[in-house]
Amino acid sequence: MLWHFLSILVATPLGLTSPVSPRWSDLQVKHSWPNVPRNWHCEGPAPEGTTIDLRIGLKPHREDALVEALHEVSDPAHEKYGAHLSKAQVAALVAPHPDTVDLVHAWLDHHGVPASSVSPSHSGDWLTVSSVPIDQADALLGASYQVYRHAETNETLLRTVGYSLPAALHAHVAVVAPTTYFGGPRAWRRTSHLTPNGRILPDGDAHIQAEIAKLQARPGSLATVPSSCGSTITPSCLRALYNTSTYTPAATSKNTLGIAGYLGQFAIHTDLKTFLTKFRSDAAAANFTVVKVNGGEDNQNDPGIEANLDIQYAESISFPTPNIYYSTGGSPPFTPDDNTPTNTNEPYLDWLDFILAQTTIPQTISTSYGDDEQTVPLDYAQSVCTLFAQLGAQGVSVLFSSGDSGVGSDCVSNDGSNRSMFIPNFPATCPFVTAVGGTTGVNPEKAASLSSGGFSNYFARPSYQSTVVPSFISSIGTQFSGLFNTTGRGFPDISAQAENFQIVVSGRTEGVAGTSCASPTAAAVISLLNDFLISQGKPPLGFLNPLLYSTGTAGLNDITSGSNPGCNTKGFTAVKGWDPVTGLGTLDFGKLQAIVG
C-alpha cells in the first residue's frame, strides 16, 4: 500500500504530450499570496543590474515511483525492507521525462536564456539558471520581483508575491524558486533562559552521575530516573532516561550523525570541550567536523546557542560516533548596493541540493528549524518534502523538531479569509520526516506545553497513520471543530525532553528549552540504533515512521499527560497511544535494540 502524501488540493496529472508550438504567453498562476506576507514590507524594485539565480524543479517521469520505492525499503513487513537505494537508483526514479526537459529548455530559449547558464542537478530533477537579470525573470514568470524588508529582523529579500508559468509547463514544472517563499527556517528554541524552576550546574552533574551509578548497580532500577533530572537536564539524565548508558558504539568507522545548521549559527569547538568536560568527562576529547554548504561559514568567535545545543547533545549521547555539523549559507540578505546582487537564499534547497549530491551521507540527520506551514508556498513545500523522501530511500533517518508554539501562536489563516485555525509547522508536517515533539519531567515524563503538534493542511494522512490518527480524532469528538484539518498528516511522531537543558555558550553554562532540544536528543538515540545494526552487518533504519507506527511502537514510552495550549485554547491533550502533542512517545534504546536486532 502506498503512503498517500499528495497535497489535499487536487493535483494536476502529469501530461507528457507537449503542444507542437507552445503559447509561451499563455500564463497561468502557479502560486501567489493574497497579500504581502505578514511583517514584510515592499521597498520598491531592485536596482538596475540585479540578477537572480533561479531553481526550476521538474516533475518526475513516474510520479509515484519514489514513494513506492520508499515504502518498500522502509516497511518492516515488506520483503525489500532495508534494501535501500543507491544515489543512482534514486536519480533514475526522480528523473523527468525527456519531453519535460526539452519543453523547459525551449521555454528558456524563447526568452533568450543562454544554454550555458542552465545546469542540471545530479538527478536531473532540478535546473539551476544562473545570473538571470530581474527583468528577464519577471518576463519568464509573469512576476514582479521587488525588494522586501522584514519589520522585526530587518532582513531584506528579493521576492515576488506571485508567479505564473505558461499553461504548457504546469504539468512539467513543480516549482520555481526563489519566488514567493518569504520566510526562512527559524530555530525552534523558545527561550535561552532556564524556566523558573530550572537551575544552572556550572560545575557539571557529578551528583546526578553518582545517583545514576547507584541505580545502575541495581538491575532494573533505571525505571526510576533521579528526581533531580526533573528540573535540570544533562547528558547523564538523557542517557539514563532513554536507556543508552550501557551501550558502546562499535561501528564508528561507518556510522555518522549529521546536524543541519542555518542562519549563521556556529557550533564552537571549545564550548563542546568545556561541555563534555563538565557533563561527560569520558568524552572530553571528542570533536566534530564542520562542512560548509553554499557559502556557509565557521566563525569560532560567534557562538550560536542553537548550534551549540545541537552539537553538544548529539555528541554527548552518541559518543564516540562521528558528528558532522553542516553550516548552511545561501546568499546573504539582499542589499541593493551589493557588487554582485544575486540573491538565492533558499536554505532548505541549498542544503538538500548539497547533501543529495554527496557519495556518503550520514545515516541520521537532525534539524531544529522550521516555519509555520502556511507561510511556505505549497509548491515549494511539496518539492522540498519529496527531496526528504529521496534521503529516506537511500537509508537516511531524517528528524525535525516539531516547533515550540503548541497548536499555534498567530492563529489566523493567511489565505485572505482570516479565519481562526491551528497552525501546523513545516517541515515537521512532511510525511517523509520524523517529527519530534517535547516532554518534560521524569517519573513519569509528561508533555511539554511548548510542544507543537497538530495536522497538516498541505499533506494528506499517510497510510502508516491510518489507524492511530483517526482513533485520536474520534476520541475528541467535536472539540476544536473547524480549527484543524481532520484528514491531514498528524505530527509529531515521537518526542523527547525539551526543557531545562544545560549547555555551554562562550564558556558559560546556560539553560535552554524547546523542541530544538528534543530533535538532536532523539537523533542521537537513533544513531546508536544505526550503529548497532551496522555493527551486526545490517542496513541502517532509514525512514523511521513505518517502523515506529508498527513493530517499533513496543519500544516507545507512551506519554499520557500534559497538553500543548495555543490559539487561546488548551490545545490537544496527551493520551494513551498517539496524540498530536507527544506522538507515539519517547524512545527506549534497549527495547528498540531488541526489536530491530
Side-chain angles (χ1 to χ4, degrees), residues 158-177:
L158 184 60
R159 292 294 186 269
T160 176
V161 293
Y163 78 103
S164 301
L165 292 172
L169 290 182
H170 277 251
H172 299 267
V173 174
V175 67
V176 180

Side-chain angles (χ1 to χ4, degrees), residues 188-195 305 309 404 450 498 511-514 517:
W188 294 131
R189 188 194 64 254
R190 189 171 71 166
T191 175
S192 59
H193 304 285
L194 281 173
T195 50
I305 294 175
L309 162 65
D404 293 351
L450 57 79
V512 295
C517 304

Side-chain angles (χ1 to χ4, degrees), residues 388-424:
F388 289 127
Q390 291 188 36
L391 284 174
Q394 293 182 64
V396 181
S397 301
V398 182
L399 292 85
F400 270 87
S401 300
S402 72
D404 293 351
S405 54
V407 293
S409 51
D410 180 23
C411 304
V412 178
S413 67
N414 66 349
D415 60 3
S417 67
N418 294 320
R419 65 184 178 89
S420 297
M421 59 183 285
F422 292 165
I423 305 295

